[in-house]
Amino acid sequence: MSISSGRPAARSTVVMLAVAALAFAGAVTVVANTGATPASAAELPAAALVEDEGADCPVTLPGSTPSNAKLPDPFTRINGTRITAKSDWRCRRTEIRKLAEKTVYGEKPGKPTTVTGTVSSSNLTVNVSHNGRSSSFSAKVELPGGTGPFPVVVVLGGFGADTATIKAAGAAVINYDPYAVGKEGTPRNNKQGAFYSIYGATSTTGLLAAWSWGVSRMIDVIETSGGTILKADAVGVTGCSRFGKGAFAIGAFDQRIALTMPIESGSAGAPIFRGIPGEGAQSLSSAYGEQPWLGDAFGSYTGNPNGLPVDTHEIVAMVAPRGLFIMDNPHIANLGPKSASVAALGGAEVYKALGAGANITYWSDVTDGNHCANRAEWKTPLQQNIQKFLLKTGNAAGQIRISGKAAGNLAQWRDWTTPTLSDGPGDPTTTTTTTTTTTTTTTPPPAGGGCSASVSLNQWADGFVATVKVTAGASAVTGWTVDMTLPSGATVSNAWNVNRSGNTGAVRFTNVAFNGSIAAGQSTEFGYQATGTGAGMTPTCSAG
């Protein structure tokens, strides 16, 4: 689909409204912040250490769901109970993911059996093997000035947020060709690209989920590359138009993405599916038929979006509490900007309930109506989001800036309220997770120096994720080693931000290049995933 539009004659009048008023206002031009106090860099929620934190959450999908003209309640579980604590969101998010995979995107598989590759100052390669099949692809790397390792923004198809601004802010750029992973112009029964070489040409998974899988595999490679060039814990993604659809899905489906920045994503992107038919945007049947962006199952809903058990406000919510900056164009109705603003407002309710309202920005208040133009209005918030979520040096609060040309009304679309979520555990009688969290901490290092280590566990029935904090004593350390004895039957399957020797029994972890030096009294973290139980582990740390 090709879209163009001339410049408007004049900019809309802007008025200040609070977010609460915004949610219930009519179609007027609004500017609002998220109502949250900016957090310090140290208080910001980090990107997750794993692709899917809720992989252990049990989910039983319904055979069918009743038709509903309103947006589904993001806070109500499949079993009809509402979440009551922030900790409940992890498994509620997993329910939304599974519903979205079933009806909208198709399944995005987890990490394949083998993922290898290389990272250099100019190129990143990925090699994948799974179930007797293999594929590979590569991407160009562009580094900013200065000394690495660098945070990095994945730019889909060379078509996203301004790369000059990204690099000037201190982040590297990966120029990712999504078509190498999932080609356009192919029939649904003969999909092509690296993803379909592994999972089959007749896979019911659409291109957006396939493109997301490709970025996840690039992060896998960055994680194991030693961290001397790119940082695996400071990854952003951006794209415009069809690549904006891709960036939106990528950020939602990999929780290691620290900053998601879709631009003018249109139908099959951010706009709520239920709002598209009444807005005059590209129809759902057109978007479904133009390219196999969406999963095959979505074909049943192109004429009946009210039958969907999810909508895109919940895909926005899947990114929470991580950084999200949605850029939109109010001058082209075919892009569905009014419906996109409703999705942002609905998703922002989840951000606020999680105490992360300052981490979402939606900005359609722009004068240039050309599709995918680099706009002056976006430069400062782009810099601020990179500083906050990738460089971790800023704390600017997010903003909701909706043009009066395309202002949606969330009150029209919801019949649910936003709960106040507690900081403690959820109701044990209704929770859908079997996960428990325990923490074991060693004694502090001696006053004269050395280091200490503590481990926090997210344990489920047959596996766990361990996050290990290494803290320097009264003197700085220039290298460290952590020894841990895993319980019988526990086996490490994956680790990040660390080198390791062994997978069972006595395992030794040593720093990688970028996290070996720790100032006095400061800390760094690494993590690993393992099968079995991690209960009772006591890490010991030695410096040098």
Side-chain angles (χ1 to χ4, degrees), residues 380-417:
T380 295
L382 174 59
Q383 292 170 327
Q384 291 173 337
N385 275 275
I386 291 172
Q387 290 165 355
K388 182 174 180 178
F389 297 106
L390 301 185
L391 299 174
K392 301 174 185 176
T393 59
N395 64 352
Q399 300 182 62
I400 303 294
R401 295 183 61 111
I402 303 176
S403 168
K405 286 181 171 290
N409 180 5
L410 178 59
Q412 173 189 346
W413 292 100
R414 71 167 175 173
D415 54 6
W416 43 268
T417 59

PDB file of all heavy atoms in Angstrom, residues 380-417:
ATOM      1  N   THR A 380      13.060  15.649  19.788  1.00  0.00           N
ATOM      2  CA  THR A 380      13.356  15.718  21.234  1.00  0.00           C
ATOM      3  C   THR A 380      12.839  14.506  21.985  1.00  0.00           C
ATOM      4  O   THR A 380      13.588  13.895  22.759  1.00  0.00           O
ATOM      5  CB  THR A 380      12.797  17.016  21.828  1.00  0.00           C
ATOM      6  OG1 THR A 380      13.491  18.133  21.246  1.00  0.00           O
ATOM      7  CG2 THR A 380      12.995  17.049  23.336  1.00  0.00           C
ATOM      8  N   PRO A 381      11.560  14.087  21.801  1.00  0.00           N
ATOM      9  CA  PRO A 381      11.132  12.876  22.510  1.00  0.00           C
ATOM     10  C   PRO A 381      11.900  11.625  22.092  1.00  0.00           C
ATOM     11  O   PRO A 381      12.096  10.720  22.909  1.00  0.00           O
ATOM     12  CB  PRO A 381       9.639  12.762  22.176  1.00  0.00           C
ATOM     13  CG  PRO A 381       9.422  13.637  20.997  1.00  0.00           C
ATOM     14  CD  PRO A 381      10.430  14.726  21.084  1.00  0.00           C
ATOM     15  N   LEU A 382      12.356  11.574  20.846  1.00  0.00           N
ATOM     16  CA  LEU A 382      13.177  10.447  20.419  1.00  0.00           C
ATOM     17  C   LEU A 382      14.477  10.415  21.214  1.00  0.00           C
ATOM     18  O   LEU A 382      14.882   9.366  21.747  1.00  0.00           O
ATOM     19  CB  LEU A 382      13.466  10.539  18.918  1.00  0.00           C
ATOM     20  CG  LEU A 382      14.444   9.503  18.336  1.00  0.00           C
ATOM     21  CD1 LEU A 382      13.939   8.084  18.577  1.00  0.00           C
ATOM     22  CD2 LEU A 382      14.663   9.765  16.844  1.00  0.00           C
ATOM     23  N   GLN A 383      15.121  11.561  21.310  1.00  0.00           N
ATOM     24  CA  GLN A 383      16.359  11.649  22.088  1.00  0.00           C
ATOM     25  C   GLN A 383      16.098  11.281  23.553  1.00  0.00           C
ATOM     26  O   GLN A 383      16.873  10.541  24.172  1.00  0.00           O
ATOM     27  CB  GLN A 383      16.930  13.064  22.003  1.00  0.00           C
ATOM     28  CG  GLN A 383      17.442  13.452  20.626  1.00  0.00           C
ATOM     29  CD  GLN A 383      17.767  14.937  20.526  1.00  0.00           C
ATOM     30  OE1 GLN A 383      17.118  15.767  21.166  1.00  0.00           O
ATOM     31  NE2 GLN A 383      18.764  15.274  19.721  1.00  0.00           N
ATOM     32  N   GLN A 384      15.000  11.784  24.094  1.00  0.00           N
ATOM     33  CA  GLN A 384      14.689  11.524  25.507  1.00  0.00           C
ATOM     34  C   GLN A 384      14.430  10.044  25.772  1.00  0.00           C
ATOM     35  O   GLN A 384      14.857   9.501  26.791  1.00  0.00           O
ATOM     36  CB  GLN A 384      13.487  12.361  25.932  1.00  0.00           C
ATOM     37  CG  GLN A 384      13.766  13.852  26.003  1.00  0.00           C
ATOM     38  CD  GLN A 384      12.516  14.671  26.259  1.00  0.00           C
ATOM     39  OE1 GLN A 384      11.395  14.227  25.979  1.00  0.00           O
ATOM     40  NE2 GLN A 384      12.681  15.873  26.790  1.00  0.00           N
ATOM     41  N   ASN A 385      13.724   9.389  24.863  1.00  0.00           N
ATOM     42  CA  ASN A 385      13.445   7.968  25.043  1.00  0.00           C
ATOM     43  C   ASN A 385      14.712   7.129  24.936  1.00  0.00           C
ATOM     44  O   ASN A 385      14.880   6.153  25.690  1.00  0.00           O
ATOM     45  CB  ASN A 385      12.404   7.502  24.025  1.00  0.00           C
ATOM     46  CG  ASN A 385      10.980   7.741  24.490  1.00  0.00           C
ATOM     47  OD1 ASN A 385      10.412   6.927  25.200  1.00  0.00           O
ATOM     48  ND2 ASN A 385      10.405   8.872  24.092  1.00  0.00           N
ATOM     49  N   ILE A 386      15.606   7.474  24.020  1.00  0.00           N
ATOM     50  CA  ILE A 386      16.873   6.754  23.909  1.00  0.00           C
ATOM     51  C   ILE A 386      17.704   6.949  25.177  1.00  0.00           C
ATOM     52  O   ILE A 386      18.279   6.000  25.726  1.00  0.00           O
ATOM     53  CB  ILE A 386      17.643   7.215  22.661  1.00  0.00           C
ATOM     54  CG1 ILE A 386      16.913   6.753  21.393  1.00  0.00           C
ATOM     55  CG2 ILE A 386      19.081   6.671  22.665  1.00  0.00           C
ATOM     56  CD1 ILE A 386      17.481   7.312  20.116  1.00  0.00           C
ATOM     57  N   GLN A 387      17.749   8.179  25.656  1.00  0.00           N
ATOM     58  CA  GLN A 387      18.508   8.456  26.874  1.00  0.00           C
ATOM     59  C   GLN A 387      17.936   7.686  28.061  1.00  0.00           C
ATOM     60  O   GLN A 387      18.669   7.133  28.878  1.00  0.00           O
ATOM     61  CB  GLN A 387      18.497   9.957  27.164  1.00  0.00           C
ATOM     62  CG  GLN A 387      19.319  10.778  26.181  1.00  0.00           C
ATOM     63  CD  GLN A 387      19.005  12.267  26.260  1.00  0.00           C
ATOM     64  OE1 GLN A 387      18.100  12.685  26.987  1.00  0.00           O
ATOM     65  NE2 GLN A 387      19.740  13.078  25.507  1.00  0.00           N
ATOM     66  N   LYS A 388      16.627   7.629  28.148  1.00  0.00           N
ATOM     67  CA  LYS A 388      15.974   7.029  29.309  1.00  0.00           C
ATOM     68  C   LYS A 388      16.053   5.504  29.305  1.00  0.00           C
ATOM     69  O   LYS A 388      16.421   4.884  30.317  1.00  0.00           O
ATOM     70  CB  LYS A 388      14.516   7.478  29.348  1.00  0.00           C
ATOM     71  CG  LYS A 388      13.706   6.973  30.539  1.00  0.00           C
ATOM     72  CD  LYS A 388      12.325   7.615  30.517  1.00  0.00           C
ATOM     73  CE  LYS A 388      11.464   7.156  31.683  1.00  0.00           C
ATOM     74  NZ  LYS A 388      10.137   7.816  31.692  1.00  0.00           N
ATOM     75  N   PHE A 389      15.731   4.882  28.176  1.00  0.00           N
ATOM     76  CA  PHE A 389      15.574   3.432  28.166  1.00  0.00           C
ATOM     77  C   PHE A 389      16.772   2.669  27.616  1.00  0.00           C
ATOM     78  O   PHE A 389      16.926   1.480  27.910  1.00  0.00           O
ATOM     79  CB  PHE A 389      14.317   3.062  27.377  1.00  0.00           C
ATOM     80  CG  PHE A 389      13.063   3.591  27.996  1.00  0.00           C
ATOM     81  CD1 PHE A 389      12.390   4.661  27.427  1.00  0.00           C
ATOM     82  CD2 PHE A 389      12.569   3.048  29.169  1.00  0.00           C
ATOM     83  CE1 PHE A 389      11.238   5.169  27.999  1.00  0.00           C
ATOM     84  CE2 PHE A 389      11.411   3.547  29.753  1.00  0.00           C
ATOM     85  CZ  PHE A 389      10.746   4.609  29.169  1.00  0.00           C
ATOM     86  N   LEU A 390      17.611   3.327  26.814  1.00  0.00           N
ATOM     87  CA  LEU A 390      18.768   2.638  26.252  1.00  0.00           C
ATOM     88  C   LEU A 390      20.073   3.074  26.905  1.00  0.00           C
ATOM     89  O   LEU A 390      20.870   2.243  27.337  1.00  0.00           O
ATOM     90  CB  LEU A 390      18.832   2.850  24.735  1.00  0.00           C
ATOM     91  CG  LEU A 390      17.602   2.374  23.948  1.00  0.00           C
ATOM     92  CD1 LEU A 390      17.836   2.532  22.460  1.00  0.00           C
ATOM     93  CD2 LEU A 390      17.259   0.928  24.279  1.00  0.00           C
ATOM     94  N   LEU A 391      20.294   4.384  26.999  1.00  0.00           N
ATOM     95  CA  LEU A 391      21.497   4.875  27.663  1.00  0.00           C
ATOM     96  C   LEU A 391      21.353   4.864  29.176  1.00  0.00           C
ATOM     97  O   LEU A 391      22.343   4.834  29.909  1.00  0.00           O
ATOM     98  CB  LEU A 391      21.818   6.294  27.185  1.00  0.00           C
ATOM     99  CG  LEU A 391      22.100   6.457  25.692  1.00  0.00           C
ATOM    100  CD1 LEU A 391      22.245   7.925  25.343  1.00  0.00           C
ATOM    101  CD2 LEU A 391      23.331   5.682  25.283  1.00  0.00           C
ATOM    102  N   LYS A 392      20.100   4.931  29.645  1.00  0.00           N
ATOM    103  CA  LYS A 392      19.779   4.932  31.078  1.00  0.00           C
ATOM    104  C   LYS A 392      20.401   6.129  31.796  1.00  0.00           C
ATOM    105  O   LYS A 392      20.873   6.024  32.919  1.00  0.00           O
ATOM    106  CB  LYS A 392      20.206   3.604  31.708  1.00  0.00           C
ATOM    107  CG  LYS A 392      19.513   2.414  31.047  1.00  0.00           C
ATOM    108  CD  LYS A 392      20.010   1.079  31.522  1.00  0.00           C
ATOM    109  CE  LYS A 392      19.345  -0.040  30.726  1.00  0.00           C
ATOM    110  NZ  LYS A 392      19.855  -1.382  31.072  1.00  0.00           N
ATOM    111  N   THR A 393      20.367   7.264  31.104  1.00  0.00           N
ATOM    112  CA  THR A 393      20.886   8.506  31.686  1.00  0.00           C
ATOM    113  C   THR A 393      19.814   9.571  31.828  1.00  0.00           C
ATOM    114  O   THR A 393      20.094  10.656  32.338  1.00  0.00           O
ATOM    115  CB  THR A 393      22.020   9.069  30.808  1.00  0.00           C
ATOM    116  OG1 THR A 393      21.510   9.323  29.487  1.00  0.00           O
ATOM    117  CG2 THR A 393      23.192   8.101  30.723  1.00  0.00           C
ATOM    118  N   GLY A 394      18.595   9.320  31.388  1.00  0.00           N
ATOM    119  CA  GLY A 394      17.529  10.328  31.423  1.00  0.00           C
ATOM    120  C   GLY A 394      16.344   9.863  32.232  1.00  0.00           C
ATOM    121  O   GLY A 394      16.234   8.690  32.593  1.00  0.00           O
ATOM    122  N   ASN A 395      15.437  10.786  32.499  1.00  0.00           N
ATOM    123  CA  ASN A 395      14.220  10.429  33.248  1.00  0.00           C
ATOM    124  C   ASN A 395      13.012  11.237  32.790  1.00  0.00           C
ATOM    125  O   ASN A 395      12.081  11.450  33.557  1.00  0.00           O
ATOM    126  CB  ASN A 395      14.444  10.619  34.746  1.00  0.00           C
ATOM    127  CG  ASN A 395      14.700  12.072  35.123  1.00  0.00           C
ATOM    128  OD1 ASN A 395      14.850  12.928  34.258  1.00  0.00           O
ATOM    129  ND2 ASN A 395      14.772  12.344  36.420  1.00  0.00           N
ATOM    130  N   ALA A 396      13.009  11.690  31.527  1.00  0.00           N
ATOM    131  CA  ALA A 396      11.877  12.477  31.023  1.00  0.00           C
ATOM    132  C   ALA A 396      10.607  11.625  31.024  1.00  0.00           C
ATOM    133  O   ALA A 396      10.623  10.452  30.643  1.00  0.00           O
ATOM    134  CB  ALA A 396      12.173  12.984  29.616  1.00  0.00           C
ATOM    135  N   ALA A 397       9.511  12.233  31.448  1.00  0.00           N
ATOM    136  CA  ALA A 397       8.227  11.526  31.475  1.00  0.00           C
ATOM    137  C   ALA A 397       7.641  11.438  30.077  1.00  0.00           C
ATOM    138  O   ALA A 397       7.843  12.317  29.235  1.00  0.00           O
ATOM    139  CB  ALA A 397       7.252  12.242  32.398  1.00  0.00           C
ATOM    140  N   GLY A 398       6.915  10.352  29.809  1.00  0.00           N
ATOM    141  CA  GLY A 398       6.233  10.214  28.537  1.00  0.00           C
ATOM    142  C   GLY A 398       5.114  11.226  28.387  1.00  0.00           C
ATOM    143  O   GLY A 398       4.671  11.851  29.354  1.00  0.00           O
ATOM    144  N   GLN A 399       4.650  11.384  27.160  1.00  0.00           N
ATOM    145  CA  GLN A 399       3.590  12.346  26.862  1.00  0.00           C
ATOM    146  C   GLN A 399       2.550  11.720  25.947  1.00  0.00           C
ATOM    147  O   GLN A 399       2.878  10.883  25.111  1.00  0.00           O
ATOM    148  CB  GLN A 399       4.155  13.581  26.163  1.00  0.00           C
ATOM    149  CG  GLN A 399       5.204  14.356  26.943  1.00  0.00           C
ATOM    150  CD  GLN A 399       5.660  15.578  26.167  1.00  0.00           C
ATOM    151  OE1 GLN A 399       4.883  16.490  25.871  1.00  0.00           O
ATOM    152  NE2 GLN A 399       6.929  15.591  25.805  1.00  0.00           N
ATOM    153  N   ILE A 400       1.310  12.137  26.108  1.00  0.00           N
ATOM    154  CA  ILE A 400       0.239  11.784  25.178  1.00  0.00           C
ATOM    155  C   ILE A 400      -0.131  13.066  24.432  1.00  0.00           C
ATOM    156  O   ILE A 400      -0.673  13.996  25.023  1.00  0.00           O
ATOM    157  CB  ILE A 400      -0.995  11.234  25.910  1.00  0.00           C
ATOM    158  CG1 ILE A 400      -0.628  10.019  26.764  1.00  0.00           C
ATOM    159  CG2 ILE A 400      -2.087  10.892  24.924  1.00  0.00           C
ATOM    160  CD1 ILE A 400      -0.196   8.801  25.998  1.00  0.00           C
ATOM    161  N   ARG A 401       0.208  13.131  23.153  1.00  0.00           N
ATOM    162  CA  ARG A 401      -0.073  14.318  22.338  1.00  0.00           C
ATOM    163  C   ARG A 401      -0.871  13.870  21.112  1.00  0.00           C
ATOM    164  O   ARG A 401      -0.319  13.329  20.161  1.00  0.00           O
ATOM    165  CB  ARG A 401       1.217  15.012  21.917  1.00  0.00           C
ATOM    166  CG  ARG A 401       2.014  15.588  23.083  1.00  0.00           C
ATOM    167  CD  ARG A 401       3.254  16.333  22.596  1.00  0.00           C
ATOM    168  NE  ARG A 401       2.904  17.460  21.742  1.00  0.00           N
ATOM    169  CZ  ARG A 401       3.068  18.728  22.092  1.00  0.00           C
ATOM    170  NH1 ARG A 401       3.557  19.034  23.277  1.00  0.00           N
ATOM    171  NH2 ARG A 401       2.745  19.696  21.256  1.00  0.00           N
ATOM    172  N   ILE A 402      -2.170  14.091  21.177  1.00  0.00           N
ATOM    173  CA  ILE A 402      -3.078  13.625  20.140  1.00  0.00           C
ATOM    174  C   ILE A 402      -3.627  14.813  19.366  1.00  0.00           C
ATOM    175  O   ILE A 402      -4.196  15.736  19.947  1.00  0.00           O
ATOM    176  CB  ILE A 402      -4.239  12.825  20.751  1.00  0.00           C
ATOM    177  CG1 ILE A 402      -3.699  11.643  21.562  1.00  0.00           C
ATOM    178  CG2 ILE A 402      -5.175  12.317  19.658  1.00  0.00           C
ATOM    179  CD1 ILE A 402      -4.777  10.853  22.273  1.00  0.00           C
ATOM    180  N   SER A 403      -3.473  14.778  18.073  1.00  0.00           N
ATOM    181  CA  SER A 403      -3.988  15.851  17.226  1.00  0.00           C
ATOM    182  C   SER A 403      -5.519  15.815  17.178  1.00  0.00           C
ATOM    183  O   SER A 403      -6.133  14.743  17.171  1.00  0.00           O
ATOM    184  CB  SER A 403      -3.437  15.708  15.811  1.00  0.00           C
ATOM    185  OG  SER A 403      -4.117  16.560  14.919  1.00  0.00           O
ATOM    186  N   GLY A 404      -6.111  17.004  17.122  1.00  0.00           N
ATOM    187  CA  GLY A 404      -7.565  17.094  16.992  1.00  0.00           C
ATOM    188  C   GLY A 404      -8.072  16.555  15.680  1.00  0.00           C
ATOM    189  O   GLY A 404      -9.269  16.302  15.531  1.00  0.00           O
ATOM    190  N   LYS A 405      -7.196  16.359  14.698  1.00  0.00           N
ATOM    191  CA  LYS A 405      -7.609  15.778  13.424  1.00  0.00           C
ATOM    192  C   LYS A 405      -7.995  14.307  13.583  1.00  0.00           C
ATOM    193  O   LYS A 405      -8.712  13.761  12.751  1.00  0.00           O
ATOM    194  CB  LYS A 405      -6.478  15.898  12.393  1.00  0.00           C
ATOM    195  CG  LYS A 405      -6.271  17.301  11.841  1.00  0.00           C
ATOM    196  CD  LYS A 405      -5.153  17.285  10.812  1.00  0.00           C
ATOM    197  CE  LYS A 405      -5.058  18.620  10.074  1.00  0.00           C
ATOM    198  NZ  LYS A 405      -6.201  18.824   9.172  1.00  0.00           N
ATOM    199  N   ALA A 406      -7.463  13.663  14.642  1.00  0.00           N
ATOM    200  CA  ALA A 406      -7.707  12.227  14.794  1.00  0.00           C
ATOM    201  C   ALA A 406      -7.658  11.852  16.263  1.00  0.00           C
ATOM    202  O   ALA A 406      -6.796  11.097  16.692  1.00  0.00           O
ATOM    203  CB  ALA A 406      -6.693  11.423  13.990  1.00  0.00           C
ATOM    204  N   ALA A 407      -8.580  12.414  17.039  1.00  0.00           N
ATOM    205  CA  ALA A 407      -8.594  12.152  18.478  1.00  0.00           C
ATOM    206  C   ALA A 407      -9.654  11.102  18.796  1.00  0.00           C
ATOM    207  O   ALA A 407     -10.845  11.317  18.581  1.00  0.00           O
ATOM    208  CB  ALA A 407      -8.871  13.434  19.251  1.00  0.00           C
ATOM    209  N   GLY A 408      -9.213   9.970  19.301  1.00  0.00           N
ATOM    210  CA  GLY A 408     -10.148   8.932  19.684  1.00  0.00           C
ATOM    211  C   GLY A 408     -10.694   9.159  21.089  1.00  0.00           C
ATOM    212  O   GLY A 408     -10.134   9.926  21.875  1.00  0.00           O
ATOM    213  N   ASN A 409     -11.763   8.479  21.405  1.00  0.00           N
ATOM    214  CA  ASN A 409     -12.434   8.628  22.695  1.00  0.00           C
ATOM    215  C   ASN A 409     -12.484   7.260  23.374  1.00  0.00           C
ATOM    216  O   ASN A 409     -13.300   6.411  23.029  1.00  0.00           O
ATOM    217  CB  ASN A 409     -13.844   9.182  22.483  1.00  0.00           C
ATOM    218  CG  ASN A 409     -14.613   9.354  23.785  1.00  0.00           C
ATOM    219  OD1 ASN A 409     -14.075   9.147  24.869  1.00  0.00           O
ATOM    220  ND2 ASN A 409     -15.873   9.738  23.675  1.00  0.00           N
ATOM    221  N   LEU A 410     -11.599   7.036  24.318  1.00  0.00           N
ATOM    222  CA  LEU A 410     -11.526   5.736  24.979  1.00  0.00           C
ATOM    223  C   LEU A 410     -12.849   5.380  25.671  1.00  0.00           C
ATOM    224  O   LEU A 410     -13.242   4.209  25.695  1.00  0.00           O
ATOM    225  CB  LEU A 410     -10.376   5.713  25.982  1.00  0.00           C
ATOM    226  CG  LEU A 410     -10.203   4.425  26.799  1.00  0.00           C
ATOM    227  CD1 LEU A 410      -9.968   3.223  25.895  1.00  0.00           C
ATOM    228  CD2 LEU A 410      -9.070   4.578  27.808  1.00  0.00           C
ATOM    229  N   ALA A 411     -13.525   6.367  26.234  1.00  0.00           N
ATOM    230  CA  ALA A 411     -14.777   6.098  26.950  1.00  0.00           C
ATOM    231  C   ALA A 411     -15.809   5.424  26.058  1.00  0.00           C
ATOM    232  O   ALA A 411     -16.641   4.638  26.520  1.00  0.00           O
ATOM    233  CB  ALA A 411     -15.340   7.404  27.511  1.00  0.00           C
ATOM    234  N   GLN A 412     -15.749   5.712  24.766  1.00  0.00           N
ATOM    235  CA  GLN A 412     -16.675   5.107  23.805  1.00  0.00           C
ATOM    236  C   GLN A 412     -16.437   3.607  23.663  1.00  0.00           C
ATOM    237  O   GLN A 412     -17.342   2.855  23.291  1.00  0.00           O
ATOM    238  CB  GLN A 412     -16.518   5.801  22.449  1.00  0.00           C
ATOM    239  CG  GLN A 412     -17.296   5.177  21.297  1.00  0.00           C
ATOM    240  CD  GLN A 412     -16.907   5.792  19.964  1.00  0.00           C
ATOM    241  OE1 GLN A 412     -16.260   6.848  19.909  1.00  0.00           O
ATOM    242  NE2 GLN A 412     -17.282   5.135  18.881  1.00  0.00           N
ATOM    243  N   TRP A 413     -15.220   3.186  23.982  1.00  0.00           N
ATOM    244  CA  TRP A 413     -14.798   1.829  23.653  1.00  0.00           C
ATOM    245  C   TRP A 413     -14.636   0.909  24.849  1.00  0.00           C
ATOM    246  O   TRP A 413     -14.398  -0.282  24.670  1.00  0.00           O
ATOM    247  CB  TRP A 413     -13.480   1.871  22.870  1.00  0.00           C
ATOM    248  CG  TRP A 413     -13.651   2.466  21.513  1.00  0.00           C
ATOM    249  CD1 TRP A 413     -13.356   3.741  21.120  1.00  0.00           C
ATOM    250  CD2 TRP A 413     -14.192   1.816  20.372  1.00  0.00           C
ATOM    251  NE1 TRP A 413     -13.670   3.918  19.791  1.00  0.00           N
ATOM    252  CE2 TRP A 413     -14.186   2.746  19.313  1.00  0.00           C
ATOM    253  CE3 TRP A 413     -14.682   0.530  20.132  1.00  0.00           C
ATOM    254  CZ2 TRP A 413     -14.647   2.440  18.031  1.00  0.00           C
ATOM    255  CZ3 TRP A 413     -15.143   0.211  18.854  1.00  0.00           C
ATOM    256  CH2 TRP A 413     -15.121   1.167  17.828  1.00  0.00           C
ATOM    257  N   ARG A 414     -14.735   1.423  26.049  1.00  0.00           N
ATOM    258  CA  ARG A 414     -14.528   0.523  27.180  1.00  0.00           C
ATOM    259  C   ARG A 414     -15.713   0.562  28.143  1.00  0.00           C
ATOM    260  O   ARG A 414     -16.365   1.598  28.337  1.00  0.00           O
ATOM    261  CB  ARG A 414     -13.239   0.855  27.925  1.00  0.00           C
ATOM    262  CG  ARG A 414     -13.248   2.136  28.738  1.00  0.00           C
ATOM    263  CD  ARG A 414     -12.030   2.151  29.669  1.00  0.00           C
ATOM    264  NE  ARG A 414     -11.897   3.399  30.403  1.00  0.00           N
ATOM    265  CZ  ARG A 414     -10.994   3.590  31.361  1.00  0.00           C
ATOM    266  NH1 ARG A 414     -10.158   2.627  31.671  1.00  0.00           N
ATOM    267  NH2 ARG A 414     -10.920   4.741  31.988  1.00  0.00           N
ATOM    268  N   ASP A 415     -15.944  -0.592  28.768  1.00  0.00           N
ATOM    269  CA  ASP A 415     -16.946  -0.698  29.823  1.00  0.00           C
ATOM    270  C   ASP A 415     -16.294  -1.265  31.089  1.00  0.00           C
ATOM    271  O   ASP A 415     -16.971  -1.846  31.936  1.00  0.00           O
ATOM    272  CB  ASP A 415     -18.129  -1.559  29.382  1.00  0.00           C
ATOM    273  CG  ASP A 415     -17.707  -2.938  28.881  1.00  0.00           C
ATOM    274  OD1 ASP A 415     -16.496  -3.278  28.986  1.00  0.00           O
ATOM    275  OD2 ASP A 415     -18.576  -3.679  28.382  1.00  0.00           O
ATOM    276  N   TRP A 416     -14.992  -1.103  31.199  1.00  0.00           N
ATOM    277  CA  TRP A 416     -14.234  -1.578  32.357  1.00  0.00           C
ATOM    278  C   TRP A 416     -13.496  -0.407  32.990  1.00  0.00           C
ATOM    279  O   TRP A 416     -13.296   0.632  32.361  1.00  0.00           O
ATOM    280  CB  TRP A 416     -13.248  -2.678  31.960  1.00  0.00           C
ATOM    281  CG  TRP A 416     -12.485  -2.407  30.671  1.00  0.00           C
ATOM    282  CD1 TRP A 416     -12.843  -2.800  29.414  1.00  0.00           C
ATOM    283  CD2 TRP A 416     -11.260  -1.669  30.517  1.00  0.00           C
ATOM    284  NE1 TRP A 416     -11.924  -2.356  28.486  1.00  0.00           N
ATOM    285  CE2 TRP A 416     -10.929  -1.661  29.135  1.00  0.00           C
ATOM    286  CE3 TRP A 416     -10.406  -1.024  31.404  1.00  0.00           C
ATOM    287  CZ2 TRP A 416      -9.786  -1.037  28.630  1.00  0.00           C
ATOM    288  CZ3 TRP A 416      -9.263  -0.398  30.899  1.00  0.00           C
ATOM    289  CH2 TRP A 416      -8.965  -0.410  29.532  1.00  0.00           C
ATOM    290  N   THR A 417     -13.142  -0.573  34.231  1.00  0.00           N
ATOM    291  CA  THR A 417     -12.406   0.453  34.954  1.00  0.00           C
ATOM    292  C   THR A 417     -10.979  -0.031  35.212  1.00  0.00           C
ATOM    293  O   THR A 417     -10.681  -1.224  35.106  1.00  0.00           O
ATOM    294  CB  THR A 417     -13.078   0.775  36.293  1.00  0.00           C
ATOM    295  OG1 THR A 417     -13.145  -0.423  37.072  1.00  0.00           O
ATOM    296  CG2 THR A 417     -14.479   1.327  36.070  1.00  0.00           C
TER     297      THR A 417
END
